[in-house]
Amino acid sequence: MTDVRVPVLDRPAEPTAARRVDPTWPLLGAALALVVVLRSVDVPAIGWLNNFLLVYVGLLVEAVPFVLLGAAVSAAIEVYVSVEAFGRLARAPRAAQVAVASCGGLLLPVCECGSVPVARRLLLRGLTPSAAITFMLAAPIVNPVVILSTWFAFRGRTSEGLMVGGRVVLGLTIAVVTGLVMARALERRPLAPSSAPQAGASGHDHGDHGDHDHGTHDRPSRPRRLAEHTGAEFLAMMKYMLIGAAVAAALQTFIPQRSIDTVATATLLAIPAMMVFAYVLSLCSESDALFIASFVQFSPAAQLAFLAFGPMLDTKLTAMYVGAFGPAHARRLVVTITVTTLVLCLWLQAALLVW
């Protein structure tokens, strides 16, 4: 009997990742639709609902343009910028690497989720640990979109200059100090090239920016990829923003004003409370200033603690740090960021009280 072999045609791989639907999106979409419907209906008998909807919708209206702008910038980096160009810093002296890396967000304005895989890639390509960690922590703050949104949130207030300039200076200081502290640990125990960052664990997967094969002939055009990445980035950020806006509106609606004022006026309690708030909300740095600006009861030092701590450490970033650097390095990183932020903000609060 003749063995007849039937040729098997190659079938394209199923794009399972693209077809996978986040189960939280239907619930969030339904909740947002309910908010819009209720906001359009006059319900004067339910005062708390009116207040909640007013704060919630107001936060969303102000934040969405900056989230979209941040998503577009991040997508442009993904499509057009290669990390190879930044990797040339590895041949420069250590002091020069740290100095350039601290301001790297101006040239490579990635958000906090995108900075983790980029920093790891730079570290594996020879950049000193102090420079790579400094870049990772400073880029989400020393970022044109973030600086613009911070100014927009506090414009017209007497603390406008302090909030914008203070956020940049405080963020740079924390990033450099943490980078120098982490340098010794990473030099003693370098990262294993085989371990990959688990960006997907955070629900905000950016991938390694610029580390893709753009020369493949079957890839879509750059404008199309730019639009696709922008949409994906925007949806990923919006999920956290919708949740964060709801939490912020609920706090201002249901927590008694007296309790908020008590925490705000307690110097030793207000700053750590804002840090915990930033950690739990896990907002993107492009929109977090618009949320915290509404908490006018808190001092500028407490608000700066929120603005500096959130882009460096929150729930999603903790998972990414463990995946990118391992549990031991991630633990040291978390402790260093927390202690440095707390100490600097307490010193700032003391200085503001003296002045």
Side-chain angles (χ1 to χ4, degrees):
M1 181 180 293
T2 305
D3 185 11
V4 179
R5 297 183 180 273
V6 180
V8 179
L9 299 178
D10 292 335
R11 292 180 298 178
E14 290 287 336
T16 55
R19 294 183 180 180
R20 190 181 302 132
V21 178
D22 191 337
T24 60
W25 273 112
L27 294 177
L28 288 174
L32 185 58
L34 180 62
V35 167
V36 173
V37 171
L38 291 176
R39 190 69 189 95
S40 62
V41 178
D42 187 17
V43 283
I46 311 179
W48 65 264
L49 182 58
N50 272 330
N51 186 70
F52 176 85
L53 294 176
L54 182 64
V55 176
Y56 186 67
V57 174
L59 289 174
L60 290 180
V61 169
E62 286 190 330
V64 164
F66 290 99
V67 175
L68 182 59
L69 180 59
V73 172
S74 181
I77 292 171
E78 174 75 26
V79 175
Y80 294 104
V81 179
S82 173
V83 180
E84 296 287 349
F86 218 80
R88 297 172 188 170
L89 273 176
R91 296 189 294 269
R94 177 175 300 188
Q97 291 188 33
V98 174
V100 175
S102 63
C103 299
L106 296 173
L107 303 176
L108 199 63
V110 293
C111 74
E112 59 269 23
C113 297
S115 68
V116 178
V118 173
R120 176 183 166 80
R121 180 63 60 187
L122 294 174
L123 189 61
L124 293 176
R125 290 180 180 174
L127 200 67
T128 60
S130 55
I133 298 298
T134 298
F135 168 79
M136 179 182 71
L137 300 179
I141 295 178
V142 186
N143 180 322
V145 179
V146 174
I147 295 173
L148 177 63
S149 68
T150 305
W151 168 81
F152 183 83
F154 292 95
R155 70 193 187 284
R157 303 187 186 182
T158 56
S159 60
E160 175 185 338
L162 174 63
M163 298 307 298
V164 177
R167 185 179 194 183
V168 173
V169 174
L170 186 62
L172 283 175
T173 304
I174 297 171
V176 172
V177 170
T178 305
L180 294 176
V181 171
M182 290 296 300
R184 290 191 176 185
L186 287 168
E187 288 169 356
R188 289 196 305 265
R189 291 182 54 189
L191 295 182
S194 59
S195 60
Q198 298 173 358
S202 70
H204 192 170
D205 187 5
H206 291 263
D208 289 345
H209 293 271
D211 197 44
H212 304 282
D213 181 15
H214 295 293
T216 308
H217 62 85
D218 57 346
R219 292 182 66 87
S221 63
R222 284 190 173 185
R224 179 179 173 184
R225 284 165 44 218
L226 178 64
E228 291 175 350
H229 281 296
T230 300
E233 294 281 347
F234 179 73
L235 291 177
M237 294 182 198
M238 276 293 295
K239 178 170 64 175
Y240 293 103
M241 196 192 71
L242 290 172
I243 297 174
V247 173
L251 287 175
Q252 296 189 51
T253 301
F254 299 110
I255 294 183
Q257 188 66 37
R258 187 183 311 168
S259 301
I260 296 179
D261 292 340
T262 301
V263 175
T265 54
T267 303
L268 297 179
L269 186 60
I271 291 175
M274 284 291 98
M275 292 170 62
V276 172
F277 190 35
Y279 185 89
V280 173
L281 283 185
S282 301
L283 299 174
C284 283
S285 56
E286 287 89 353
S287 60
D288 56 0
L290 298 164
F291 289 89
I292 202 60
S294 62
F295 288 84
V296 295
Q297 308 92 332
F298 289 85
S299 67
Q303 291 178 319
L304 283 173
F306 180 95
L307 295 175
F309 189 72
M312 297 184 185
L313 187 62
D314 59 24
T315 53
K316 64 182 185 295
L317 285 174
T318 302
M320 294 188 73
Y321 290 154
V322 173
F325 303 108
H329 288 314
R331 192 181 310 115
R332 184 176 288 103
L333 184 62
V334 167
V335 172
T336 305
I337 293 172
T338 303
V339 173
T340 305
T341 304
L342 182 60
V343 170
L344 289 177
C345 289
L346 287 174
W347 274 104
L348 177 60
Q349 179 67 58
L352 292 176
L353 290 176
V354 171
W355 290 340

Coordinates of all heavy atoms in Angstrom, one line a residue, residues 34-67:
L34 N -23.8 53.7 33.8 CA -24.8 54.1 34.8 C -24.5 55.5 35.4 O -25.4 56.2 35.7 CB -24.7 53.0 35.9 CG -25.6 53.2 37.2 CD1 -27.0 53.2 36.7 CD2 -25.3 52.2 38.2
V35 N -23.2 55.8 35.5 CA -22.8 57.1 36.0 C -23.3 58.2 35.1 O -23.9 59.2 35.5 CB -21.3 57.2 36.2 CG1 -20.9 58.7 36.4 CG2 -20.9 56.4 37.4
V36 N -23.1 58.0 33.8 CA -23.6 59.0 32.8 C -25.1 59.2 32.8 O -25.6 60.3 32.8 CB -23.1 58.6 31.4 CG1 -23.7 59.5 30.3 CG2 -21.6 58.6 31.3
V37 N -25.8 58.0 32.9 CA -27.3 58.1 33.0 C -27.8 58.9 34.2 O -28.6 59.7 34.1 CB -27.9 56.7 32.9 CG1 -29.4 56.8 33.2 CG2 -27.6 56.1 31.5
L38 N -27.2 58.5 35.3 CA -27.6 59.1 36.6 C -27.2 60.6 36.6 O -28.0 61.4 37.2 CB -27.0 58.4 37.8 CG -27.5 57.0 38.1 CD1 -26.7 56.3 39.2 CD2 -29.0 57.0 38.4
R39 N -26.1 60.9 36.0 CA -25.7 62.3 36.0 C -26.6 63.2 35.2 O -26.7 64.4 35.5 CB -24.2 62.4 35.5 CG -23.6 63.8 35.7 CD -23.3 64.0 37.2 NE -22.9 65.4 37.4 CZ -23.7 66.4 37.8 NH1 -25.0 66.1 37.9 NH2 -23.3 67.6 38.0
S40 N -27.2 62.6 34.2 CA -28.1 63.4 33.4 C -29.5 63.5 34.0 O -30.4 64.2 33.4 CB -28.2 62.7 32.0 OG -28.8 61.4 32.1
V41 N -29.8 62.8 35.1 CA -31.1 62.8 35.7 C -31.0 63.6 37.0 O -30.1 63.5 37.8 CB -31.6 61.4 36.0 CG1 -32.9 61.4 36.7 CG2 -31.7 60.6 34.7
D42 N -31.9 64.5 37.2 CA -31.9 65.3 38.4 C -32.5 64.5 39.6 O -33.6 64.1 39.6 CB -32.8 66.5 38.2 CG -32.7 67.5 39.3 OD1 -31.8 67.4 40.1 OD2 -33.6 68.4 39.4
V43 N -31.6 64.2 40.5 CA -32.0 63.4 41.7 C -31.7 64.2 43.0 O -30.8 63.9 43.7 CB -31.3 62.1 41.7 CG1 -31.9 61.1 40.8 CG2 -29.8 62.2 41.4
P44 N -32.4 65.3 43.2 CA -32.1 66.2 44.3 C -32.3 65.5 45.7 O -31.8 65.9 46.7 CB -33.1 67.4 44.2 CG -34.2 66.8 43.3 CD -33.6 65.8 42.4
A45 N -33.2 64.5 45.7 CA -33.5 63.8 47.0 C -32.3 63.0 47.5 O -32.3 62.6 48.7 CB -34.7 63.0 46.9
I46 N -31.4 62.7 46.6 CA -30.2 61.8 47.1 C -29.0 62.7 47.0 O -28.3 62.7 46.0 CB -30.1 60.6 46.2 CG1 -31.4 59.9 46.0 CG2 -29.1 59.6 46.7 CD1 -31.4 58.7 45.2
G47 N -28.7 63.4 48.1 CA -27.6 64.4 48.0 C -26.3 63.7 47.9 O -25.4 64.2 47.1
W48 N -26.0 62.6 48.5 CA -24.7 61.9 48.5 C -24.4 61.4 47.1 O -23.3 61.5 46.6 CB -24.7 60.8 49.4 CG -25.6 59.6 49.2 CD1 -26.8 59.4 49.7 CD2 -25.4 58.5 48.2 NE1 -27.4 58.3 49.2 CE2 -26.5 57.7 48.3 CE3 -24.3 58.2 47.4 CZ2 -26.6 56.6 47.5 CZ3 -24.4 57.0 46.7 CH2 -25.6 56.2 46.7
L49 N -25.5 61.0 46.3 CA -25.3 60.5 45.0 C -24.9 61.7 44.0 O -24.0 61.5 43.2 CB -26.6 59.8 44.5 CG -26.5 59.2 43.1 CD1 -25.4 58.2 43.0 CD2 -27.8 58.6 42.7
N50 N -25.6 62.8 44.2 CA -25.2 64.0 43.4 C -23.8 64.4 43.7 O -23.0 64.7 42.7 CB -26.2 65.1 43.8 CG -27.4 65.1 42.9 OD1 -27.4 64.7 41.8 ND2 -28.5 65.6 43.5
N51 N -23.4 64.4 44.9 CA -22.0 64.8 45.3 C -21.0 63.8 44.7 O -20.0 64.2 44.1 CB -21.9 64.9 46.8 CG -20.5 65.4 47.2 OD1 -20.2 66.6 47.0 ND2 -19.6 64.6 47.7
F52 N -21.3 62.5 44.8 CA -20.4 61.5 44.3 C -20.2 61.6 42.7 O -19.1 61.6 42.2 CB -20.9 60.1 44.6 CG -20.1 59.0 44.0 CD1 -19.0 58.5 44.6 CD2 -20.5 58.4 42.8 CE1 -18.2 57.4 44.1 CE2 -19.8 57.4 42.2 CZ -18.6 56.9 42.9
L53 N -21.4 61.8 42.0 CA -21.3 61.9 40.6 C -20.6 63.2 40.2 O -19.9 63.2 39.2 CB -22.7 61.8 40.0 CG -23.5 60.5 40.2 CD1 -24.9 60.7 39.7 CD2 -22.8 59.4 39.5
L54 N -20.8 64.2 40.9 CA -20.2 65.5 40.5 C -18.7 65.4 40.6 O -18.0 65.8 39.7 CB -20.7 66.6 41.5 CG -20.1 68.0 41.2 CD1 -20.6 68.5 39.8 CD2 -20.6 69.0 42.3
V55 N -18.2 64.8 41.7 CA -16.7 64.7 41.9 C -16.2 63.7 40.9 O -15.2 63.9 40.2 CB -16.4 64.2 43.3 CG1 -14.9 63.9 43.5 CG2 -16.9 65.3 44.3
Y56 N -16.9 62.5 40.7 CA -16.4 61.5 39.8 C -16.3 61.9 38.4 O -15.3 61.8 37.7 CB -17.3 60.3 39.9 CG -16.9 59.0 39.2 CD1 -15.8 58.4 39.6 CD2 -17.6 58.6 38.1 CE1 -15.3 57.2 38.9 CE2 -17.2 57.4 37.4 CZ -16.0 56.8 37.8 OH -15.6 55.7 37.2
V57 N -17.4 62.5 37.9 CA -17.4 63.0 36.5 C -16.4 64.1 36.3 O -15.7 64.2 35.3 CB -18.8 63.4 36.0 CG1 -18.8 64.1 34.7 CG2 -19.7 62.3 36.1
G58 N -16.3 65.0 37.3 CA -15.3 66.1 37.2 C -13.9 65.6 37.1 O -13.1 66.1 36.3
L59 N -13.5 64.6 37.9 CA -12.2 64.1 37.8 C -11.9 63.4 36.5 O -10.8 63.6 35.9 CB -12.0 63.1 38.9 CG -11.9 63.6 40.4 CD1 -11.9 62.5 41.4 CD2 -10.7 64.5 40.5
L60 N -12.9 62.7 35.9 CA -12.7 62.0 34.7 C -12.6 63.0 33.5 O -11.7 62.9 32.6 CB -13.9 61.1 34.4 CG -14.0 59.8 35.2 CD1 -15.2 59.0 34.8 CD2 -12.8 59.0 35.1
V61 N -13.4 64.1 33.5 CA -13.3 65.1 32.4 C -11.9 65.7 32.4 O -11.4 66.0 31.3 CB -14.4 66.1 32.6 CG1 -14.2 67.3 31.7 CG2 -15.8 65.5 32.3
E62 N -11.4 66.0 33.6 CA -10.1 66.7 33.6 C -8.9 65.7 33.3 O -7.9 66.1 32.7 CB -9.8 67.3 35.0 CG -10.6 68.5 35.3 CD -10.2 69.2 36.5 OE1 -9.7 68.5 37.4 OE2 -10.3 70.4 36.6
A63 N -9.1 64.4 33.7 CA -7.9 63.5 33.5 C -7.8 62.8 32.2 O -6.7 62.5 31.7 CB -8.0 62.4 34.6
V64 N -8.9 62.6 31.5 CA -8.9 61.8 30.3 C -8.0 62.4 29.2 O -7.2 61.7 28.6 CB -10.4 61.6 29.7 CG1 -10.3 61.2 28.3 CG2 -11.1 60.6 30.6
P65 N -8.0 63.7 29.0 CA -7.1 64.3 27.9 C -5.6 64.0 28.2 O -4.9 63.7 27.3 CB -7.4 65.8 28.0 CG -8.7 65.9 28.5 CD -8.9 64.8 29.5
F66 N -5.2 64.0 29.5 CA -3.8 63.7 29.8 C -3.5 62.3 29.7 O -2.4 61.9 29.4 CB -3.5 64.3 31.2 CG -3.5 65.8 31.3 CD1 -4.6 66.5 31.7 CD2 -2.4 66.5 30.8 CE1 -4.6 67.8 31.8 CE2 -2.4 67.9 30.9 CZ -3.5 68.6 31.4
V67 N -4.4 61.4 30.1 CA -4.2 60.0 29.9 C -4.1 59.6 28.4 O -3.2 58.9 28.0 CB -5.4 59.2 30.5 CG1 -5.2 57.7 30.2 CG2 -5.5 59.4 32.0

